[in-house]
Amino acid sequence: MLTTNRRQFLRAGALGITGVLVARGVSAQAPASAGPADPKLIEDLVAANRILADQGVVDGYGHVSVRHPADPQRYLMSRSIAPELVTAADIMEFDLDSVAVDARGRSVYLERFIHGEIYRVRPDVVAVVHNHSPSVIPFGVTTAPLKPLYHMSAFLWPGVPVFEIRNAGGPATDMLVRNPALGQALAKTLGAGPVALMRGHGAVVVGDNLPEAVFRSFYTEVNARLQAQAMSLGGPVNYLDTEEAKKAQASVAGTIARPWELWKRKALAR
Ligand SMILES: [Zn+2]
């Protein structure tokens, strides 16, 4: 697999160094580091990877990132590896063009642009999860909107838009958000909301911090499963209305530390 640096080298050969500068619009140098992050944050990022795997939100695929606390123009994410296997040594730093600060030959996730482009346009977002959470997939390929069915998923009240990659990438992409333009289009679909589905692919979930992004990813999956069950019973489904959902979201938001502590302890015990 080609790493970013390897690709840059190959492009430099094809375009000349000036071509690379023009193509990237930035210095040909690797971006500067924002410095080492708090080991506690790295531990939480490792835990987030493993929790999402434990809870069935990610499998061998999917990724989670956190914005660098010392520089909003940087984010932290694992090298390309299954989330369940992530350790602190796998965490890499990226700029918002999703160029690695210090790749050292490590391969990086093809879809890292999801993260960089969302951080660029959402200054409020501190953590991003991309997953192929199975129960949400039907809601990305039908006309049934994903809606908050119970208090734990009340945060879905703003609505869950569906990213149509054909609109941004043409009729025959490989479905992957593999370049900045597709990342920007996905970030635009997400808008100011907490979750966007990706048609025929998965979802992106954001939060004010890692526990919130993990919590939302898990309960988006649970809501999708429960909503499909409720719809299969027939008749209208009685969803939370917006006022109920706003109040429930505020109440539940204060309790996220409880499941996080449980999930993290289990995830790091292995
Ligand atoms: Zn994906």
Side-chain angles (χ1 to χ4, degrees), residues 205-262:
V205 181
V206 301
D208 290 350
N209 48 59
L210 278 168
E212 186 175 71
V214 168
F215 174 95
R216 287 176 169 179
S217 299
F218 175 67
Y219 283 106
T220 299
E221 163 66 20
V222 175
N223 190 90
R225 191 163 66 234
L226 296 177
Q227 187 177 338
Q229 289 172 5
M231 292 167 73
S232 74
L233 295 177
V237 177
N238 196 354
Y239 296 100
L240 270 64
D241 69 32
T242 301
E243 287 313 305
E244 286 176 326
K246 286 180 177 176
K247 285 183 182 167
Q249 181 186 6
S251 294
V252 173
T255 68
I256 290 176
R258 191 196 311 169
W260 173 258
E261 183 186 5
L262 168 70

Side-chain angles (χ1 to χ4, degrees), residues 10 24 76 97 131 143 167-168 206 216 247 249:
L10 291 173
R24 290 188 52 213
L76 304 166
D97 292 326
N131 64 61
T143 57
N167 293 341
V206 301
R216 287 176 169 179
K247 285 183 182 167
Q249 181 186 6

Side-chain angles (χ1 to χ4, degrees), residues 4 7 17 41 52 58 63 68 78 94 96 106 124-125 186 190 215 218 252:
T4 297
R7 277 205 304 276
I17 195 68
L41 184 69
L52 291 167
V58 300
H63 19 91
H68 198 303
S78 171
F94 296 86
L96 298 191
R106 293 172 288 184
D124 59 308
V125 166
L186 174 58
L190 175 67
F215 174 95
F218 175 67
V252 173

Side-chain angles (χ1 to χ4, degrees), residues 164-176 178 182 199:
E164 175 48 81
I165 197 167
R166 290 183 188 123
N167 293 341
T173 67
D174 65 0
M175 308 303 290
L176 302 180
R178 57 166 58 251
L182 291 171
R199 195 265 308 163

Side-chain angles (χ1 to χ4, degrees), residues 121-141:
V121 297
R122 286 285 300 271
D124 59 308
V125 166
V126 177
V128 176
V129 175
H130 167 56
N131 64 61
H132 309 152
S133 182
S135 301
V136 308
I137 303 298
F139 292 91
V141 300

